[in-house]
Amino acid sequence: DVKVTQSSRYLVKRTGEKVFLECVQDMDHENMFWYRQDPGLGLRLIYFSYDVKMKEKGDIPEGYSVSREKKERFSLILESASTNQTSMYLCASINRGRGTEAFFGQGTRLTVV
Amino acid sequence: GDSVTQMEGPVTLSEEAFLTINCTYTATGYPSLFWYVQYPGEGLQLLLKATKADDKGSNKGFEATYRKETTSFHLEKGSVQVSDSAVYFCVITQGGSEKLVFGKGTKLTVNP
């Protein structure tokens, strides 16, 4: 059974903390993505990676960075958490090719206080 | 840039009613089109897809047809069930890549 696993379902962090969100996939996919989901805004792309050590900014990269040292793992880093980063974070992986299916993790609900 | 516009919700229907959720898109190139669904408390999962003009995607009684001339991919189901209550996202691929562009989602509630 294919799987994308996010390290935490719920996180509460303080303003200014450095926060790490981890995502692991077991499908050998090249592409991995981080989105945030907010009510009324849908899913917005933060960063994506199309290969190990390769990354590109998405639509809302400010305040975030990413790391992909191994093919199966894609980490999202909040350098200094702020309250406006309170959100649901979703990781996805997709194989290369037209029309291929994206697989999503269960999401991490992050609250910054 | 590429974008997706889908009808705003929430949508509330009675069981066995007909469902349409409209979706139109703006894209450079020739995108693939998808509907993803998010059931309460669960992650997103693929509902159906279409990769070329006039293709019809179908799954679980849902259908959508890739209309290139109207840049649309409307989701339909003839008879909804309570178990169809979820948030539905219309999604396209961007610029020949695997990057996905999402609509804002439509929350569907089906009452018995």
Short mmCIF file of all heavy atoms in Angstrom, two decimals, chain A residues 9 31 33 35 37 40-43 45 48 56-57 90 94-102 104-106, chain B residues 30-32 34 36 38 41-46 49 51-52 66 89 93 98-105:
data_model
loop_
_atom_site.label_atom_id
_atom_site.label_comp_id
_atom_site.label_asym_id
_atom_site.label_seq_id
_atom_site.Cartn_x
_atom_site.Cartn_y
_atom_site.Cartn_z
N ARG A 9 0.66 14.72 13.48
CA ARG A 9 -0.68 15.18 13.09
C ARG A 9 -0.98 16.56 13.64
O ARG A 9 -1.64 17.36 13.00
CB ARG A 9 -1.74 14.20 13.59
CG ARG A 9 -1.76 12.86 12.89
CD ARG A 9 -2.16 13.00 11.41
NE ARG A 9 -3.46 13.61 11.20
CZ ARG A 9 -4.60 12.94 11.13
NH1 ARG A 9 -4.63 11.65 11.32
NH2 ARG A 9 -5.74 13.58 10.89
N ASN A 31 9.22 13.51 -7.41
CA ASN A 31 8.67 14.81 -7.05
C ASN A 31 8.01 14.79 -5.67
O ASN A 31 7.21 13.89 -5.38
CB ASN A 31 7.60 15.24 -8.07
CG ASN A 31 8.14 15.32 -9.47
OD1 ASN A 31 8.97 16.14 -9.78
ND2 ASN A 31 7.63 14.45 -10.34
N PHE A 33 6.20 17.64 -2.67
CA PHE A 33 5.63 18.97 -2.55
C PHE A 33 5.21 19.24 -1.11
O PHE A 33 4.80 18.34 -0.39
CB PHE A 33 4.36 19.08 -3.41
CG PHE A 33 4.57 18.83 -4.88
CD1 PHE A 33 4.71 17.54 -5.37
CD2 PHE A 33 4.63 19.88 -5.76
CE1 PHE A 33 4.90 17.30 -6.72
CE2 PHE A 33 4.82 19.66 -7.12
CZ PHE A 33 4.95 18.37 -7.60
N TYR A 35 2.41 21.84 0.67
CA TYR A 35 1.32 22.78 0.53
C TYR A 35 0.85 23.20 1.91
O TYR A 35 0.99 22.45 2.89
CB TYR A 35 0.12 22.15 -0.18
CG TYR A 35 0.32 21.82 -1.63
CD1 TYR A 35 0.84 20.60 -2.04
CD2 TYR A 35 -0.05 22.73 -2.62
CE1 TYR A 35 1.00 20.29 -3.38
CE2 TYR A 35 0.10 22.43 -3.97
CZ TYR A 35 0.63 21.21 -4.33
OH TYR A 35 0.79 20.92 -5.66
N GLN A 37 -2.88 24.45 3.63
CA GLN A 37 -4.31 24.49 3.34
C GLN A 37 -4.99 25.39 4.35
O GLN A 37 -4.91 25.15 5.56
CB GLN A 37 -4.92 23.08 3.42
CG GLN A 37 -6.39 23.02 3.10
CD GLN A 37 -6.96 21.62 3.15
OE1 GLN A 37 -6.33 20.70 3.66
NE2 GLN A 37 -8.15 21.44 2.60
N GLY A 40 -11.07 28.60 2.64
CA GLY A 40 -11.37 29.61 1.64
C GLY A 40 -10.24 29.90 0.67
O GLY A 40 -10.42 30.65 -0.30
N LEU A 41 -9.07 29.33 0.91
CA LEU A 41 -7.91 29.58 0.03
C LEU A 41 -7.46 28.32 -0.70
O LEU A 41 -6.57 28.40 -1.55
CB LEU A 41 -6.75 30.15 0.84
CG LEU A 41 -7.00 31.50 1.50
CD1 LEU A 41 -5.79 31.92 2.33
CD2 LEU A 41 -7.31 32.57 0.45
N GLY A 42 -8.00 27.18 -0.35
CA GLY A 42 -7.59 25.95 -0.99
C GLY A 42 -6.18 25.56 -0.57
O GLY A 42 -5.73 25.88 0.54
N LEU A 43 -5.46 24.90 -1.47
CA LEU A 43 -4.09 24.49 -1.21
C LEU A 43 -3.14 25.40 -1.98
O LEU A 43 -3.32 25.61 -3.18
CB LEU A 43 -3.85 23.04 -1.65
CG LEU A 43 -4.22 21.96 -0.65
CD1 LEU A 43 -5.73 21.81 -0.52
CD2 LEU A 43 -3.58 20.64 -1.04
N LEU A 45 0.96 26.18 -2.89
CA LEU A 45 2.26 25.51 -2.95
C LEU A 45 3.33 26.35 -2.28
O LEU A 45 3.52 27.52 -2.63
CB LEU A 45 2.62 25.24 -4.40
CG LEU A 45 3.94 24.53 -4.66
CD1 LEU A 45 3.92 23.12 -4.05
CD2 LEU A 45 4.22 24.45 -6.16
N PHE A 48 8.59 22.86 -3.79
CA PHE A 48 8.60 21.49 -4.29
C PHE A 48 10.02 21.08 -4.67
O PHE A 48 10.91 21.92 -4.82
CB PHE A 48 7.62 21.32 -5.46
CG PHE A 48 8.03 21.95 -6.74
CD1 PHE A 48 8.60 21.21 -7.76
CD2 PHE A 48 7.80 23.31 -6.96
CE1 PHE A 48 8.97 21.79 -8.96
CE2 PHE A 48 8.16 23.90 -8.15
CZ PHE A 48 8.74 23.14 -9.16
N GLU A 56 12.52 24.05 -5.67
CA GLU A 56 12.05 25.27 -6.31
C GLU A 56 10.99 25.90 -5.43
O GLU A 56 10.20 25.20 -4.78
CB GLU A 56 11.44 24.97 -7.69
CG GLU A 56 12.46 24.84 -8.79
CD GLU A 56 11.82 24.88 -10.17
OE1 GLU A 56 10.78 25.56 -10.32
OE2 GLU A 56 12.36 24.24 -11.07
N LYS A 57 10.96 27.22 -5.46
CA LYS A 57 9.94 27.93 -4.70
C LYS A 57 8.58 27.77 -5.37
O LYS A 57 8.47 27.74 -6.59
CB LYS A 57 10.30 29.41 -4.62
CG LYS A 57 11.54 29.70 -3.80
CD LYS A 57 11.84 31.19 -3.79
CE LYS A 57 13.11 31.46 -2.97
NZ LYS A 57 13.45 32.91 -2.95
N LEU A 90 0.32 20.07 4.19
CA LEU A 90 0.16 18.80 3.49
C LEU A 90 1.38 18.53 2.62
O LEU A 90 1.83 19.40 1.88
CB LEU A 90 -1.08 18.84 2.60
CG LEU A 90 -2.42 18.98 3.32
CD1 LEU A 90 -3.54 19.13 2.29
CD2 LEU A 90 -2.69 17.78 4.19
N ILE A 94 4.62 12.68 -6.15
CA ILE A 94 4.09 12.34 -7.47
C ILE A 94 5.20 11.76 -8.31
O ILE A 94 6.32 12.30 -8.34
CB ILE A 94 3.53 13.60 -8.20
CG1 ILE A 94 2.57 14.37 -7.33
CG2 ILE A 94 2.86 13.20 -9.51
CD1 ILE A 94 2.11 15.68 -7.93
N ASN A 95 4.90 10.70 -9.01
CA ASN A 95 5.88 10.15 -9.93
C ASN A 95 5.93 11.02 -11.19
O ASN A 95 5.01 11.80 -11.46
CB ASN A 95 5.49 8.72 -10.30
CG ASN A 95 6.70 7.88 -10.64
OD1 ASN A 95 7.83 8.37 -10.71
ND2 ASN A 95 6.46 6.60 -10.88
N ARG A 96 7.00 10.89 -11.94
CA ARG A 96 7.10 11.65 -13.19
C ARG A 96 6.13 11.09 -14.21
O ARG A 96 5.83 9.91 -14.22
CB ARG A 96 8.53 11.59 -13.74
CG ARG A 96 9.47 12.45 -12.97
CD ARG A 96 10.78 12.65 -13.69
NE ARG A 96 11.67 13.43 -12.83
CZ ARG A 96 12.96 13.19 -12.66
NH1 ARG A 96 13.52 12.18 -13.30
NH2 ARG A 96 13.69 13.93 -11.87
N GLY A 97 5.64 11.97 -15.09
CA GLY A 97 4.77 11.51 -16.16
C GLY A 97 3.47 12.27 -16.19
O GLY A 97 2.98 12.75 -15.15
N ARG A 98 2.89 12.35 -17.37
CA ARG A 98 1.66 13.11 -17.55
C ARG A 98 0.50 12.40 -16.87
O ARG A 98 0.29 11.20 -17.06
CB ARG A 98 1.39 13.27 -19.04
CG ARG A 98 0.12 14.06 -19.34
CD ARG A 98 -0.03 14.32 -20.84
NE ARG A 98 -1.29 14.96 -21.14
CZ ARG A 98 -1.53 16.25 -20.98
NH1 ARG A 98 -0.56 17.04 -20.53
NH2 ARG A 98 -2.71 16.76 -21.26
N GLY A 99 -0.24 13.17 -16.08
CA GLY A 99 -1.45 12.64 -15.50
C GLY A 99 -1.25 11.68 -14.35
O GLY A 99 -2.20 10.98 -13.97
N THR A 100 -0.06 11.63 -13.80
CA THR A 100 0.16 10.69 -12.70
C THR A 100 -0.52 11.19 -11.42
O THR A 100 -0.67 12.39 -11.21
CB THR A 100 1.64 10.45 -12.44
OG1 THR A 100 2.29 11.71 -12.23
CG2 THR A 100 2.28 9.74 -13.61
N GLU A 101 -0.88 10.26 -10.58
CA GLU A 101 -1.63 10.55 -9.37
C GLU A 101 -0.71 11.07 -8.27
O GLU A 101 0.39 10.54 -8.07
CB GLU A 101 -2.33 9.28 -8.89
CG GLU A 101 -3.10 9.43 -7.59
CD GLU A 101 -3.77 8.13 -7.17
OE1 GLU A 101 -3.68 7.14 -7.92
OE2 GLU A 101 -4.37 8.11 -6.07
N ALA A 102 -1.16 12.09 -7.56
CA ALA A 102 -0.45 12.57 -6.39
C ALA A 102 -0.96 11.84 -5.15
O ALA A 102 -2.16 11.57 -5.02
CB ALA A 102 -0.68 14.07 -6.22
N PHE A 104 -1.02 12.00 -0.97
CA PHE A 104 -0.90 12.99 0.09
C PHE A 104 -0.75 12.33 1.45
O PHE A 104 -1.33 11.26 1.72
CB PHE A 104 -2.14 13.89 0.12
CG PHE A 104 -2.20 14.86 -1.01
CD1 PHE A 104 -2.70 14.49 -2.25
CD2 PHE A 104 -1.75 16.16 -0.83
CE1 PHE A 104 -2.73 15.39 -3.29
CE2 PHE A 104 -1.79 17.07 -1.88
CZ PHE A 104 -2.28 16.69 -3.11
N GLY A 105 -0.01 13.01 2.32
CA GLY A 105 0.01 12.62 3.70
C GLY A 105 -1.26 13.07 4.40
O GLY A 105 -2.12 13.75 3.81
N GLN A 106 -1.38 12.69 5.68
CA GLN A 106 -2.58 13.01 6.45
C GLN A 106 -2.63 14.47 6.88
O GLN A 106 -3.68 14.96 7.31
CB GLN A 106 -2.64 12.14 7.70
CG GLN A 106 -2.92 10.68 7.40
CD GLN A 106 -4.37 10.46 7.02
OE1 GLN A 106 -4.76 10.68 5.88
NE2 GLN A 106 -5.16 10.01 7.97
N TYR B 30 -1.00 22.40 -22.19
CA TYR B 30 -2.06 21.38 -22.26
C TYR B 30 -2.07 20.60 -20.94
O TYR B 30 -1.43 19.56 -20.82
CB TYR B 30 -1.73 20.47 -23.44
CG TYR B 30 -2.83 19.61 -23.95
CD1 TYR B 30 -2.64 18.85 -25.10
CD2 TYR B 30 -4.06 19.49 -23.30
CE1 TYR B 30 -3.63 18.04 -25.60
CE2 TYR B 30 -5.06 18.68 -23.78
CZ TYR B 30 -4.85 17.95 -24.93
OH TYR B 30 -5.82 17.13 -25.42
N PRO B 31 -2.82 21.08 -19.96
CA PRO B 31 -2.74 20.46 -18.63
C PRO B 31 -3.48 19.13 -18.56
O PRO B 31 -4.35 18.84 -19.38
CB PRO B 31 -3.42 21.50 -17.74
CG PRO B 31 -4.42 22.16 -18.64
CD PRO B 31 -3.76 22.21 -19.99
N SER B 32 -3.15 18.33 -17.57
CA SER B 32 -3.99 17.23 -17.14
C SER B 32 -4.95 17.79 -16.09
O SER B 32 -4.62 18.74 -15.37
CB SER B 32 -3.16 16.10 -16.54
OG SER B 32 -2.32 15.53 -17.51
N PHE B 34 -7.86 17.01 -12.89
CA PHE B 34 -8.14 16.06 -11.82
C PHE B 34 -9.27 16.61 -10.93
O PHE B 34 -9.46 17.82 -10.82
CB PHE B 34 -6.92 15.87 -10.90
CG PHE B 34 -5.65 15.50 -11.59
CD1 PHE B 34 -4.85 16.48 -12.16
CD2 PHE B 34 -5.23 14.18 -11.65
CE1 PHE B 34 -3.65 16.15 -12.79
CE2 PHE B 34 -4.03 13.84 -12.26
CZ PHE B 34 -3.24 14.83 -12.83
N TYR B 36 -9.81 15.90 -6.87
CA TYR B 36 -9.39 15.25 -5.63
C TYR B 36 -10.48 15.47 -4.58
O TYR B 36 -11.19 16.48 -4.59
CB TYR B 36 -8.07 15.83 -5.12
CG TYR B 36 -6.85 15.25 -5.82
CD1 TYR B 36 -6.46 15.73 -7.07
CD2 TYR B 36 -6.12 14.23 -5.25
CE1 TYR B 36 -5.35 15.19 -7.72
CE2 TYR B 36 -5.02 13.69 -5.88
CZ TYR B 36 -4.64 14.17 -7.11
OH TYR B 36 -3.55 13.63 -7.76
N GLN B 38 -11.46 15.19 -0.29
CA GLN B 38 -10.96 15.12 1.09
C GLN B 38 -12.14 14.80 2.00
O GLN B 38 -12.97 15.67 2.28
CB GLN B 38 -10.30 16.43 1.48
CG GLN B 38 -9.59 16.40 2.82
CD GLN B 38 -8.86 17.72 3.08
OE1 GLN B 38 -9.31 18.80 2.69
NE2 GLN B 38 -7.72 17.64 3.74
N GLY B 41 -11.54 14.32 8.17
CA GLY B 41 -10.49 13.69 8.96
C GLY B 41 -9.49 12.89 8.17
O GLY B 41 -8.63 12.22 8.76
N GLU B 42 -9.57 12.95 6.85
CA GLU B 42 -8.67 12.16 6.02
C GLU B 42 -7.85 13.05 5.10
O GLU B 42 -8.13 14.23 4.93
CB GLU B 42 -9.46 11.15 5.19
CG GLU B 42 -10.22 10.15 6.01
CD GLU B 42 -10.88 9.10 5.14
OE1 GLU B 42 -10.49 8.94 3.97
OE2 GLU B 42 -11.81 8.42 5.64
N GLY B 43 -6.81 12.47 4.49
CA GLY B 43 -6.00 13.19 3.52
C GLY B 43 -6.69 13.25 2.17
O GLY B 43 -7.69 12.58 1.93
N LEU B 44 -6.13 14.03 1.28
CA LEU B 44 -6.68 14.13 -0.08
C LEU B 44 -6.41 12.84 -0.85
O LEU B 44 -5.35 12.22 -0.71
CB LEU B 44 -6.05 15.29 -0.84
CG LEU B 44 -6.66 16.65 -0.65
CD1 LEU B 44 -6.13 17.27 0.63
CD2 LEU B 44 -6.36 17.55 -1.84
N GLN B 45 -7.35 12.49 -1.69
CA GLN B 45 -7.15 11.33 -2.56
C GLN B 45 -7.75 11.62 -3.93
O GLN B 45 -8.71 12.38 -4.06
CB GLN B 45 -7.77 10.07 -1.95
CG GLN B 45 -9.23 10.18 -1.62
CD GLN B 45 -9.73 8.96 -0.86
OE1 GLN B 45 -10.13 7.97 -1.45
NE2 GLN B 45 -9.70 9.03 0.47
N LEU B 46 -7.16 10.98 -4.93
CA LEU B 46 -7.63 11.18 -6.29
C LEU B 46 -9.02 10.58 -6.46
O LEU B 46 -9.27 9.43 -6.09
CB LEU B 46 -6.67 10.52 -7.26
CG LEU B 46 -7.03 10.60 -8.73
CD1 LEU B 46 -6.99 12.05 -9.23
CD2 LEU B 46 -6.10 9.73 -9.57
N LYS B 49 -9.62 11.55 -13.13
CA LYS B 49 -8.72 12.40 -13.91
C LYS B 49 -9.01 12.26 -15.39
O LYS B 49 -9.66 11.28 -15.84
CB LYS B 49 -7.27 12.05 -13.62
CG LYS B 49 -6.86 10.68 -14.17
CD LYS B 49 -5.37 10.43 -13.92
CE LYS B 49 -4.95 9.10 -14.53
NZ LYS B 49 -3.51 8.80 -14.27
N THR B 51 -6.67 13.29 -19.14
CA THR B 51 -5.39 13.83 -19.60
C THR B 51 -5.44 14.41 -21.01
O THR B 51 -4.46 15.03 -21.44
CB THR B 51 -4.29 12.75 -19.55
OG1 THR B 51 -4.71 11.66 -20.37
CG2 THR B 51 -4.07 12.27 -18.13
N LYS B 52 -6.56 14.24 -21.74
CA LYS B 52 -6.64 14.87 -23.04
C LYS B 52 -8.08 15.26 -23.35
O LYS B 52 -9.04 14.78 -22.73
CB LYS B 52 -6.07 13.97 -24.13
CG LYS B 52 -6.76 12.65 -24.32
CD LYS B 52 -6.02 11.85 -25.39
CE LYS B 52 -6.76 10.60 -25.79
NZ LYS B 52 -6.86 9.61 -24.72
N TYR B 66 -13.23 16.40 -19.98
CA TYR B 66 -12.22 17.41 -20.32
C TYR B 66 -12.72 18.19 -21.54
O TYR B 66 -12.74 17.68 -22.66
CB TYR B 66 -10.91 16.69 -20.66
CG TYR B 66 -9.66 17.53 -20.77
CD1 TYR B 66 -8.46 17.01 -20.30
CD2 TYR B 66 -9.64 18.78 -21.38
CE1 TYR B 66 -7.27 17.72 -20.41
CE2 TYR B 66 -8.48 19.50 -21.48
CZ TYR B 66 -7.29 18.98 -21.01
OH TYR B 66 -6.12 19.68 -21.12
N PHE B 89 -11.91 19.14 -4.71
CA PHE B 89 -10.96 20.09 -5.30
C PHE B 89 -10.77 19.79 -6.78
O PHE B 89 -10.46 18.65 -7.14
CB PHE B 89 -9.60 20.00 -4.62
CG PHE B 89 -9.58 20.45 -3.18
CD1 PHE B 89 -9.78 19.54 -2.16
CD2 PHE B 89 -9.34 21.78 -2.87
CE1 PHE B 89 -9.76 19.95 -0.84
CE2 PHE B 89 -9.31 22.19 -1.55
CZ PHE B 89 -9.53 21.28 -0.54
N THR B 93 -2.56 20.35 -13.77
CA THR B 93 -1.11 20.40 -13.76
C THR B 93 -0.66 21.68 -14.43
O THR B 93 -1.31 22.19 -15.35
CB THR B 93 -0.48 19.20 -14.47
OG1 THR B 93 -1.09 19.06 -15.76
CG2 THR B 93 -0.66 17.94 -13.67
N GLU B 98 4.66 18.33 -13.22
CA GLU B 98 3.78 17.62 -12.29
C GLU B 98 3.26 18.53 -11.18
O GLU B 98 2.56 18.09 -10.28
CB GLU B 98 4.52 16.43 -11.67
CG GLU B 98 4.78 15.28 -12.63
CD GLU B 98 6.04 15.48 -13.46
OE1 GLU B 98 6.90 16.29 -13.06
OE2 GLU B 98 6.18 14.82 -14.50
N LYS B 99 3.56 19.83 -11.26
CA LYS B 99 3.07 20.75 -10.24
C LYS B 99 1.56 20.88 -10.35
O LYS B 99 1.02 21.06 -11.44
CB LYS B 99 3.70 22.13 -10.41
CG LYS B 99 5.11 22.20 -9.90
CD LYS B 99 5.62 23.61 -9.69
CE LYS B 99 5.33 24.58 -10.77
NZ LYS B 99 5.95 25.89 -10.53
N LEU B 100 0.88 20.79 -9.24
CA LEU B 100 -0.58 20.85 -9.21
C LEU B 100 -1.05 22.23 -8.77
O LEU B 100 -0.52 22.81 -7.82
CB LEU B 100 -1.14 19.81 -8.25
CG LEU B 100 -0.76 18.35 -8.53
CD1 LEU B 100 -1.39 17.44 -7.49
CD2 LEU B 100 -1.21 17.95 -9.92
N VAL B 101 -2.05 22.74 -9.47
CA VAL B 101 -2.70 24.00 -9.12
C VAL B 101 -4.12 23.66 -8.68
O VAL B 101 -4.87 23.03 -9.43
CB VAL B 101 -2.72 24.97 -10.30
CG1 VAL B 101 -3.42 26.27 -9.92
CG2 VAL B 101 -1.29 25.26 -10.77
N PHE B 102 -4.49 24.09 -7.48
CA PHE B 102 -5.76 23.71 -6.88
C PHE B 102 -6.79 24.83 -6.97
O PHE B 102 -6.45 26.02 -6.82
CB PHE B 102 -5.56 23.39 -5.40
CG PHE B 102 -4.92 22.06 -5.14
CD1 PHE B 102 -3.57 21.89 -5.31
CD2 PHE B 102 -5.69 20.98 -4.73
CE1 PHE B 102 -2.97 20.66 -5.08
CE2 PHE B 102 -5.11 19.75 -4.50
CZ PHE B 102 -3.75 19.60 -4.67
N GLY B 103 -8.04 24.45 -7.16
CA GLY B 103 -9.14 25.36 -6.87
C GLY B 103 -9.29 25.47 -5.37
O GLY B 103 -8.62 24.78 -4.60
N LYS B 104 -10.20 26.33 -4.93
CA LYS B 104 -10.33 26.59 -3.50
C LYS B 104 -11.12 25.53 -2.76
O LYS B 104 -11.18 25.55 -1.53
CB LYS B 104 -10.95 27.98 -3.28
CG LYS B 104 -10.04 29.10 -3.74
CD LYS B 104 -10.61 30.48 -3.45
CE LYS B 104 -9.62 31.55 -3.88
NZ LYS B 104 -10.11 32.92 -3.60
N GLY B 105 -11.73 24.63 -3.48
CA GLY B 105 -12.46 23.55 -2.83
C GLY B 105 -13.93 23.88 -2.66
O GLY B 105 -14.30 25.04 -2.46
#
